[in-house]
Amino acid sequence: MQHIQHRRYCVFDFEATGIRHEVEYITQIGAVIIEEGKVVEHRTFNSYVQSPKPIPEPVERFTGVYNSYLVDAPVLADIYEQFVQFTEGCVLVTHAGYEFDLPLLRMECERNNLKMLSNRCLDTKALFTYLYPDNPNILTTNYLVHHYGIDDSSLKRHDALDDSKLIAKLFLRLLEEFKARNINDFILDKPIQVRRFEIIPMV
């Protein structure tokens, strides 16, 4: 991807009934827009999504998204086109999206006979690994927050919209590093290895 400093981005995040994308369902979609190196504060996307599968109690506690929130929420098929329109003309940005968010969305699109997003997508884990190829750590959101010294005290973690705002902060710091190293294009011309997130049992 060329000219990464001058593109329009949509940073998004999903909450779901669990973390195995093959069998889980989206319960919340959050997204923000980045233009000219800044988050557009008045442009956000946030919606709970009614799921055919109840959220397990441990996941409710972990994410803060409760089944009661979904009772009057739209089903994915009714909200998806609005999300697609929100992302129009943007490069997508996620954290661990290559592992979870994109496979989950692809599965949901197959279930609902919806067209999968065709936007190009950058993952903050891949971008960080591109800059630090020898880093042996699992690049959790917490790890990157600590690495960049970002204050996330005003954001509710595991809320899709607030997590999108946090990922946007991380992404902007990554763009700053690319600029400082005079890297204008993100080109993966050889493989990089990124450690997957750990699945921690919830009880």
Side-chain angles (χ1 to χ4, degrees):
M1 184 179 299
Q2 296 180 319
H3 311 301
I4 59 174
Q5 302 292 339
H6 305 291
R7 292 186 176 268
R8 187 168 181 261
Y9 295 98
C10 175
V11 186
F12 76 96
D13 183 66
F14 298 145
E15 295 302 324
T17 53
I19 54 179
R20 294 178 61 86
H21 66 265
E22 305 93 338
V23 296
E24 305 298 352
Y25 294 82
I26 295 171
T27 57
Q28 187 188 8
I29 301 172
V32 298
I33 298 294
I34 291 177
E35 287 183 323
E36 299 179 358
K38 296 180 181 179
V39 175
V40 182
E41 297 290 346
H42 66 278
R43 288 216 60 199
T44 61
F45 186 96
N46 186 29
S47 178
Y48 291 113
V49 181
Q50 196 173 125
S51 166
K53 176 181 178 179
I55 306 171
E57 185 179 348
V59 178
E60 284 185 307
R61 293 197 305 268
F62 181 74
T63 64
V65 179
Y66 292 87
N67 286 296
S68 59
Y69 297 177
L70 311 185
V71 173
D72 297 320
V75 297
L76 182 65
D78 290 342
I79 198 71
Y80 182 68
E81 186 57 34
Q82 294 179 39
F83 177 58
V84 171
Q85 291 175 8
F86 187 82
T87 70
E88 189 173 354
C90 296
V91 176
L92 301 177
V93 178
T94 69
H95 179 81
Y98 294 169
E99 303 162 59
F100 179 70
D101 299 83
L102 291 178
L104 175 63
L105 182 60
R106 188 171 290 108
M107 181 63 69
E108 286 277 48
C109 285
E110 290 177 6
R111 291 169 181 150
N112 292 278
N113 196 29
L114 300 169
K115 185 178 180 180
M116 177 63 182
L117 286 172
S118 59
N119 312 50
R120 283 187 286 179
C121 184
L122 297 176
D123 190 318
T124 52
K125 291 179 67 173
L127 291 167
F128 187 87
T129 303
Y130 184 85
L131 295 173
Y132 299 95
D134 297 323
N135 189 305
N137 296 287
I138 297 175
L139 303 178
T140 63
T141 308
N142 286 339
Y143 179 88
L144 295 184
V145 165
H146 178 75
H147 176 87
Y148 286 115
I150 291 174
D151 180 9
D152 64 345
S153 59
S154 64
L155 300 173
K156 180 183 176 184
R157 298 297 299 275
H158 307 296
D159 172 86
L161 179 56
D162 274 8
D163 274 356
S164 295
K165 293 177 179 178
L166 181 58
I167 297 166
K169 287 174 180 277
L170 295 172
F171 178 65
L172 289 173
R173 294 297 293 273
L174 285 161
L175 286 182
E176 289 176 6
E177 276 209 75
F178 273 81
K179 185 175 182 180
R181 298 192 191 191
N182 292 316
I183 303 173
N184 299 312
D185 308 324
F186 180 57
I187 301 173
L188 286 179
D189 53 3
K190 55 185 178 181
I192 60 173
Q193 292 188 352
V194 184
R195 292 188 65 187
R196 292 180 61 86
F197 61 80
E198 291 180 327
I199 298 178
I200 301 173
M202 295 183 185
V203 293

